[in-house]
Amino acid sequence: MLTSVASLENNVESNSMFEHLDTAIADVFENMMGMTCLPLEHQLQQEQGMTVAICFSGLFQGGCTLYLSQSAALATTEALLGESSPDPYDPMIDDAVGELCNMIVGRWKSRLGSTQAAAKLSVPVTSREHSSAHAKEWNDGLTRSYRFQDKTFSIFLVVSEA
Amino acid sequence: MRALIIDDSAVMRKVVERSLRQAGLELTEVLQASNGMEALDVLRGDQQVTTPLALILSDINMPVMDGLQFLEQRKLEDLAHGVPVVMITTEASEPLVMRAIAAGAKGYICKPFTTDQVKARVMPLIRSFVTA
């Protein structure tokens, strides 16, 4: 039976998912880039620019899609590498945002209970075309927006019990 | 000191190298591989080098050959004998850690990581490898 998080009757579980996501994102930005990244109180329109998708399979299913603008993608790449990247189409940017999403999801997963953490993660798929394919496919889910420096990005997360 | 970094992400290979240098490792050469298969080729070609590797850092989830398969094959071929291998990965479930240790990994670093964490995991291994 597939039950999306959004439709779970227990709101505590959804809140807990958000808290784990907030902490995971804060950890990734602080540890890897020395930056503070905080959740926004309101949800932003999904950013036009780049998307990264990672799917979960195993004891729970679903996925995570990261939406970020070119400038946010460039800023995270430069912060990760510690050097500037003058070319906005540098493939290292795709690589960096893929790793960013991978680390966020990996950290988030490790913060869940051991049963849920047993799910496997797919390789991140990065696209420079705005896509809400996963959102359409998975229907319900959680979307949360975040800010670091003067940049913002959004994350769509859906988890289903297998 | 020479090190081998294995990760399918070129960005992560750079990040790991930078962290090693920030942790105080004086690296004279950093070899790179984007999966376990490439890493085995690097090790096979590195056997006659006068300055041996002092450290191998490897991701787990990689295409072609993952980090666990790399560990197992390296053990089978007895490549880079005694050189400490540290896994750097987002996947840190207990069964995976146990499997990596059984296959020869000496340490584990979870992404995201800090330079202090890299230093704490890597330095003791290098010290004991150098004095062995």
Side-chain angles (χ1 to χ4, degrees), chain A residues 7-131:
Chain A
S7 68
L8 286 175
E9 288 178 7
N10 188 351
N11 284 333
V12 175
E13 191 158 338
S14 292
N15 290 337
S16 169
M17 290 277 181
F18 268 150
E19 282 170 21
H20 288 315
L21 187 61
D22 293 348
T23 308
I25 288 171
D27 285 352
V28 170
F29 274 78
E30 178 63 39
N31 290 350
M32 302 302 291
M33 294 175 264
M35 292 195 289
T36 302
C37 185
L38 296 169
L40 295 173
E41 284 184 11
H42 57 284
Q43 182 187 321
L44 297 173
Q45 189 116 18
Q46 286 168 358
E47 302 275 348
Q48 299 286 328
M50 298 184 77
T51 61
V52 190
I54 289 180
C55 297
F56 319 133
S57 61
L59 289 179
F60 69 95
Q61 298 174 346
C64 172
T65 307
L66 176 67
Y67 300 89
L68 70 178
S69 63
Q70 284 291 358
S71 64
L74 190 62
T76 51
T77 304
E78 290 179 347
L80 268 174
L81 291 174
E83 58 190 50
S84 60
S85 177
D87 178 5
Y89 293 98
D90 186 341
M92 290 292 262
I93 297 173
D94 301 63
D95 187 344
V97 295
E99 272 303 309
L100 175 69
C101 190
N102 192 35
M103 286 189 284
I104 289 170
V105 176
R107 187 66 154 192
W108 168 77
K109 191 169 78 87
S110 73
R111 294 185 60 81
L112 302 175
S114 56
T115 308
Q116 287 175 302
K120 271 190 78 76
L121 305 182
S122 73
V123 172
V125 178
T126 305
S127 169
R128 285 177 182 260
E129 288 171 15
H130 182 68
S131 166

Side-chain angles (χ1 to χ4, degrees), chain B residues 34-45:
Chain B
S34 62
N35 60 62
M37 192 72 83
E38 274 185 28
L40 290 170
D41 283 342
V42 169
L43 294 183
R44 289 179 195 123

Side-chain angles (χ1 to χ4, degrees), chain B residues 88-102:
Chain B
I88 299 192
T89 182
T90 52
E91 290 286 333
S93 66
E94 199 180 325
L96 212 58
V97 174
M98 299 305 285
R99 211 181 132 194
I101 288 169

Side-chain angles (χ1 to χ4, degrees), chain B residues 39-110:
Chain B
L40 290 170
D41 283 342
V42 169
L43 294 183
R44 289 179 195 123
D46 202 56
Q47 293 183 92
Q48 307 305 322
V49 178
T50 46
T51 311
L53 287 169
L55 180 67
I56 299 171
L57 293 120
S58 179
D59 187 14
I60 289 188
N61 287 335
M62 294 179 287
V64 184
M65 180 185 278
D66 68 28
L68 295 174
Q69 291 170 315
F70 161 74
L71 284 173
E72 284 156 5
Q73 190 60 32
R74 168 186 171 259
K75 204 172 174 182
L76 214 63
E77 294 186 40
D78 198 24
L79 294 166
H81 183 82
V83 178
V85 183
V86 176
M87 309 311 283
I88 299 192
T89 182
T90 52
E91 290 286 333
S93 66
E94 199 180 325
L96 212 58
V97 174
M98 299 305 285
R99 211 181 132 194
I101 288 169
K106 297 290 181 198
Y108 222 91
I109 297 171
C110 289

